[in-house]
Amino acid sequence: MVRRLVVTLLVPVPWSPPGVALRDWRAALAEDVVDLLARLSAADAAIAAGPGDRELAEEIAWPGMKIYDVPAPTLLPVLAAAAGDGYDQAAVIAADAPDVPGMTLGKLLQPLDSKSVAVAPGGPGGGALGVATNLPAPDWLLDLDLDSATPQLLRRNAPTPGEVTSTAQWRRLRGPAELATLDTALEGWDNTRALLGG
């Protein structure tokens, strides 16, 4: 049986809505992503915390959830930690997409039966929502953060472009434009919704 891990990466969050403290906003976004991943049936869930983020990770983690301390919020340290724990596949997900559907995450892992790397683009804001690989990660994979990772960049060092595939995109909440796209009819994202007064 293939062992899969989906890791919430605590990415930098440079913006919060008016009247909402940045730390509270960042914590709410990340907690909603963690809550979704913790309920996935086909994969284990974990959190990756860069320097200074361990306290936030412990605050939002579910009981028993693994927290990886990484030197920077980039792909390769997270994937190496997952491989070190014996996982066969791992996905790294940005912690600023509180309403991402579970189906979108499933589609990110699905291509790994035939591809080395799968990338879910981050919508109009660019970058990536997430990156998934078979483990250990290919030695040609660039160590990017999710703000700069794109399918094109990740294909740059691949033996063939077909080794990297794109999956369904989902936007991250990185500014007022993305905030306006939140769909109140979607279930979930309770912490973010509470901060927004809804």
Side-chain angles (χ1 to χ4, degrees), residues 7-180:
V7 184
T8 304
L9 178 59
L10 297 177
V11 293
V13 175
W15 171 90
S16 63
V20 178
L22 181 58
R23 191 196 183 283
D24 294 345
W25 178 243
R26 187 176 185 226
L29 297 177
E31 188 167 5
D32 283 336
V33 177
V34 167
D35 288 353
L36 171 68
L37 300 191
R39 294 185 184 102
L40 293 176
S41 58
D44 294 336
I47 301 171
D53 281 340
R54 178 75 189 202
E55 183 180 337
L56 173 59
E58 290 176 349
E59 183 181 312
I60 64 175
W62 282 41
M65 184 176 282
K66 184 83 174 185
I67 299 172
Y68 296 114
D69 292 298
V70 292
T74 56
L75 294 171
L76 291 186
V78 181
L79 296 171
D85 272 350
Y87 287 95
D88 303 303
Q89 298 176 346
V92 182
I93 306 296
D96 57 2
D99 62 338
V100 62
M103 187 180 297
T104 299
L105 302 180
K107 288 178 179 175
L108 181 59
L109 288 163
Q110 197 171 21
L112 297 182
D113 291 341
S114 58
K115 304 288 184 181
S116 296
V117 177
V119 187
L129 163 71
V131 175
T133 74
N134 288 295
L135 297 175
D139 57 10
W140 48 261
L141 187 65
L142 296 171
D143 189 24
L144 300 172
D145 60 45
L146 291 174
D147 287 348
S148 55
T150 63
Q152 294 79 12
L153 264 180
L154 291 169
R155 287 186 185 109
R156 183 170 290 171
N157 290 348
T160 64
E163 288 294 310
V164 179
T165 189
S166 296
T167 65
Q169 70 173 14
W170 192 263
R171 56 97 187 91
R172 297 162 53 192
L173 295 188
R174 289 187 282 181
E178 289 88 7
L179 185 64

